[in-house]
Amino acid sequence: MSTKYTKETYLYWYELMQLIRQFELMAEEKYKMEGKIRGFFHAYVGQEAIAAGCMTATRPEDPFITAYRDHGLAIAKGISVNSCMAELYGKATGCAKGKGGSMHFFSKEHHFYGGHGIVGAQIGTGAGLAFAEKYKGTDNVCLAYFGDGAARQGMLHETFNLAMTWKLPVIFICENNNYAMGTSVQRTSNIVDIYKLADAYEMPSDVIDGMSAEAVHEGVSRAVKRAREGDGPTLLEIKTYRYKGHSISDPQKYRTKEEVEEYKGKDPITALLATIRENGLATDEEIAAIDKRVEEAVTESVKFAEESPWPNDDEVLKDVYVDQNYPFIVD
């Protein structure tokens, strides 16, 4: 048996996916068991192959923008787990200075333009980022992520129309994990195959197995190549599954435990590790070394977050407006 990709690529995918998984599980523990993290919390557990495949199909300067299930993609884009955990804790050392929390990770330096709490808002903003890249004459491509629930928003249709009219370099990625907040696609839409929404705008589209880093890499690579060559946007419906509820407080009464266990049998990390082992791409010692590195990084992120200071009171009105002399800022 042979593989399409190098040992380095497989081990990069494995380490990144493990880092996202272990970060989320640790953060959930700090939320539920210790109350160190509060507010909203939407875990990426089960969807890690999407982040991994997208990273190897893009360049670091390609902007990413997503909804509020944003921890995994932020880590993939290179935001340190220290600053991510600190943001969850609400600390000043967080990637949004402790002001954004779980739903609003952000780093201009890493070209990660946020988790967004208004459902579907990032679809239009993602097209705006793509417009900016085209306007500046770069060949960068924006990846704009949204869930299956956001596919029902009017923002999507207005944006698809403009993006195709202007041939913007944007990949619209629907991370279809089946249930939006808690309602299946079948109960909320006559169109259950979300990729077909692109047909109304003559936009290219594709369906991708989101439990496979290889499949994601290949599908996103095709769309990115088309965008870089000036041929405009693509809609990718990447079929995935979240093991956790919509948010940390979701009782998940809309699906059976058997269904969740069935999907865990298709776990993207387990499948990737099996490919690595079957092809002799890494020894048990090499895998153990990666796991140890991930464990140490996640453990350190908790220590960093707990020892970091809270934001000062004078930070409350900073970063609200770009113009520091905006006339409506009050004392």
Side-chain angles (χ1 to χ4, degrees):
M1 186 176 176
S2 62
T3 60
K4 290 184 180 180
Y5 305 105
T6 64
K7 169 181 177 174
E8 288 73 23
T9 297
Y10 275 101
L11 294 188
Y12 167 77
W13 282 338
Y14 177 73
E15 184 160 354
L16 175 58
M17 290 162 70
Q18 273 287 40
L19 184 61
I20 294 169
R21 174 74 58 90
Q22 299 309 320
F23 175 89
E24 295 284 48
L25 294 176
M26 176 65 81
E28 181 182 8
E29 180 183 315
K30 296 301 173 186
Y31 189 107
K32 285 184 171 178
M33 306 300 291
E34 299 184 32
K36 296 287 181 68
I37 297 169
R38 287 170 279 183
F40 292 103
F41 183 105
H42 304 83
Y44 205 67
V45 176
Q47 300 183 204
E48 297 89 353
I50 300 177
C54 285
M55 285 305 298
T56 48
T58 56
R59 301 190 300 227
E61 58 269 26
D62 291 324
F64 283 23
I65 187 168
T66 188
Y68 41 74
R69 194 178 308 282
D70 60 355
H71 312 156
L73 290 168
I75 291 169
K77 280 297 275 181
I79 303 177
S80 74
V81 288
N82 280 6
S83 63
C84 287
M85 189 66 79
E87 189 60 38
L88 291 179
Y89 271 65
K91 296 299 185 72
T93 52
C95 58
K97 301 183 183 178
K99 302 176 185 182
S102 169
M103 299 203 299
H104 304 294
F105 282 16
F106 189 95
S107 175
K108 183 180 178 183
E109 175 192 353
H110 294 93
H111 305 280
F112 183 77
Y113 292 96
H116 292 260
I118 299 173
V119 176
Q122 73 281 10
I123 299 171
T125 309
L129 288 166
F131 178 85
E133 296 294 348
K134 186 170 184 175
Y135 185 82
K136 289 185 291 186
T138 78
D139 68 344
N140 296 337
V141 177
C142 178
L143 272 58
Y145 300 81
F146 57 97
D148 45 289
R152 250 68 76 211
Q153 292 286 351
M155 173 62 79
L156 177 142
H157 297 279
E158 294 184 43
T159 302
F160 278 15
N161 183 57
L162 270 180
M164 278 302 292
T165 301
W166 293 343
K167 297 295 182 285
L168 298 180
V170 54
I171 316 300
F172 298 108
I173 295 179
C174 177
E175 296 180 289
N176 184 357
N177 56 26
N178 297 353
Y179 288 104
M181 285 183 69
T183 308
S184 68
V185 175
Q186 285 81 359
R187 291 180 59 196
T188 59
S189 176
N190 188 52
I191 303 292
V192 294
D193 295 315
I194 290 169
Y195 74 94
K196 292 180 180 177
L197 293 173
D199 292 349
Y201 306 94
E202 298 186 354
M203 183 190 296
S205 63
D206 203 355
V207 183
I208 297 170
D209 177 7
M211 307 306 268
S212 162
E214 296 98 326
V216 173
H217 171 90
E218 288 165 15
V220 174
S221 292
R222 288 192 295 270
V224 166
K225 180 176 184 290
R226 190 158 50 235
R228 290 207 206 284
E229 291 173 351
D231 294 329
T234 303
L235 170 62
L236 300 179
E237 180 183 358
I238 304 186
K239 297 204 169 186
T240 184
Y241 199 82
R242 61 168 194 254
Y243 297 167
K244 304 293 180 177
H246 171 68
S247 70
I248 213 102
S249 56
D250 178 6
Q252 307 182 57
K253 292 181 179 178
Y254 46 82
R255 62 183 183 181
T256 64
K257 290 180 180 177
E258 290 75 19
E259 179 183 299
V260 177
E261 290 307 311
E262 179 190 341
Y263 273 94
K264 285 183 178 179
K266 306 172 186 176
D267 187 89
I269 298 177
T270 303
L272 187 79
L273 188 55
T275 300
I276 290 170
R277 287 195 161 128
E278 285 166 13
N279 290 277
L281 295 174
T283 64
D284 288 344
E285 289 77 16
E286 286 175 298
I287 296 298
I290 291 173
D291 291 343
K292 184 171 187 288
R293 199 154 59 234
V294 166
E295 181 184 0
E296 288 173 351
V298 172
T299 300
E300 167 58 28
S301 75
V302 172
K303 182 174 184 289
F304 177 81
E306 293 189 348
E307 292 177 357
S308 290
W310 297 103
N312 292 329
D313 291 346
D314 63 6
E315 284 284 321
V316 71
L317 291 176
K318 290 181 183 174
D319 307 310
V320 178
Y321 299 100
V322 172
D323 183 358
Q324 293 300 315
N325 298 313
Y326 191 75
F328 300 108
I329 294 179
V330 296
D331 291 334

